[in-house]
Amino acid sequence: MADNCLFCKIAAGEIGELVYENDHVVAFRDINPVAPTHVLVIPRKHISTINDLDPVDAEIVGNLYLAAKEIAAAEGLAERGYRATMNCNADAGQSVFHIHLHLTGGHAMGWPPWPEKG
Ligand code: AMP
Ligand code: ZN
């Protein structure tokens, strides 16, 4: 566990309520949802950003997506669709430096995500 990492504390079960957990990952609802369903899927291992991923973490990243698939199905999103997005550093708006997939869905979403392009 990394010192002073909020998501390490959540993964350890010290705070918050989980919607999913297995040996590799835990998931919980985002405190400030930006979609009707907004779940964060995080590894139990502390990894700060995508830039810090090591080849040995490949299985962890795979497990984030496998968990997202299960949660999406449980939330009724599998057929209608959803996103599973990971932000990295400032331009992407990363604010918590323990990697997490944002699983969002429950409404139609726009694409591409580049509003200022016009
Ligand atoms: P990001 O901006 O990609 O780093 O996403 C961080 C997400 O964590 C944001 O969507 C926040 O709303 C969410 N968040 C921050 N603190 C908590 C918390 N205690 N419980 C659940 N979600 C949180
Ligand atoms: Zn952490």
Side-chain angles (χ1 to χ4, degrees):
M1 185 188 307
D3 287 345
N4 297 318
C5 174
L6 172 65
F7 284 5
C8 279
K9 291 187 174 75
I10 292 175
E14 292 178 11
I15 45 176
E17 185 182 338
L18 302 180
V19 298
Y20 179 93
E21 65 177 314
N22 65 29
D23 288 348
H24 310 283
V25 311
V26 309
F28 49 94
R29 295 196 189 279
D30 197 292
I31 200 168
N32 183 25
V34 298
T37 298
H38 187 173
V39 172
L40 301 176
V41 190
I42 73 171
R44 290 188 183 276
K45 177 183 176 182
H46 181 86
I47 301 167
S48 297
T49 79
I50 296 172
N51 293 337
D52 301 297
L53 283 169
D54 184 271
V56 300
D57 298 323
E59 190 177 354
I60 289 175
V61 176
N63 276 293
L64 291 176
Y65 276 95
L66 289 169
K69 180 187 92 165
E70 298 295 332
I71 298 161
E75 297 282 330
L77 300 176
E79 296 307 320
R80 62 182 294 183
Y82 55 92
R83 284 199 184 132
T85 309
M86 191 179 290
N87 296 323
C88 182
N89 281 342
D91 270 2
Q94 184 175 4
S95 61
V96 177
F97 290 85
H98 177 134
I99 60 168
H100 46 281
L101 273 187
H102 291 263
L103 171 61
T104 57
H107 62 171
M109 293 169 272
W111 190 266
W114 191 8
E116 64 271 38
K117 187 179 178 202

